[in-house]
Amino acid sequence: ILNVEQSPQSLHVQEGDSTNFTCSFPSSNFYALHWYRWETAKSPEALFVMTLNGDEKKKGRISATLNTKEGYSYLYIKGSQPEDSATYLCAFIGSAGNQFYFGTGTSLTVIP
Amino acid sequence: EAQVTQNPRYLITVTGKKLTVTCSQNMNHEYMSWYRQDPGLGLRQIYYSMNVEVTDKGDVPEGYKVSRKEKRNFPLILESPSPNQTSLYFCASSLGLSPYEQYFGPGTRLTVT
């Protein structure tokens, strides 16, 4: 079983603050990294799929970077809004197989 | 509307009574997968399927079976459910493994007493 770690486990920020979280994964045999947003009582929704070292993706106020050589990805949220409150999950796929390995997520609460 | 559907959404059952959770997608996706979500453990992959008649075990396949006879359907079968299979289950699908994003179903909350 591969180890995918996310930090911090939870985060409370004020509306308007910018924030970031980390996803750490094995640096060898990398194939892809996914980021998902999961709101309470809903299903996870895809944010980004990242495949190349140095990848940077952006969707509105949310962006992500990828470093496959050192085995980490950062997710950034600029100017957090209450509607950004959710759990953010990352999922690693190794080149050795076709499985997804999810981290336990970072729970973000944005306080109005 | 492009979607992944699961049924039932909620189920309470007793130990040993066989059950099936259905999953269907209307996006012509090749890759389908089942996950379970337990507090503190994150999403764990149970089984996945790369295409029709091609299925493989994920991290936690014990006590589960799947089949992929048609591209759109990927049912999860619990032959003899036990209380440790009480969990929230998600089905997901994607065009392929990557760089394609997964689309998740609404989830099935299963309680085994």
Side-chain angles (χ1 to χ4, degrees), chain A residues 1 13 33 45 52 56 58 65 69 83 106:
Chain A
I1 297 178
V13 302
L33 188 89
E45 289 184 350
L52 298 173
E56 291 188 24
K58 187 174 181 183
T65 61
K69 294 188 188 308
E83 58 265 30
T106 293

Side-chain angles (χ1 to χ4, degrees), chain A residues 73-111:
Chain A
S73 176
Y74 293 139
L75 188 80
Y76 300 91
I77 302 179
K78 187 177 177 182
S80 303
Q81 299 296 309
E83 58 265 30
D84 295 328
S85 297
T87 296
Y88 292 83
L89 302 170
C90 67
F92 167 83
I93 307 169
S95 58
N98 303 313
Q99 281 184 247
F100 283 83
Y101 295 92
F102 277 82
T104 52
T106 293
S107 174
L108 173 67
T109 303
V110 181
I111 304 161

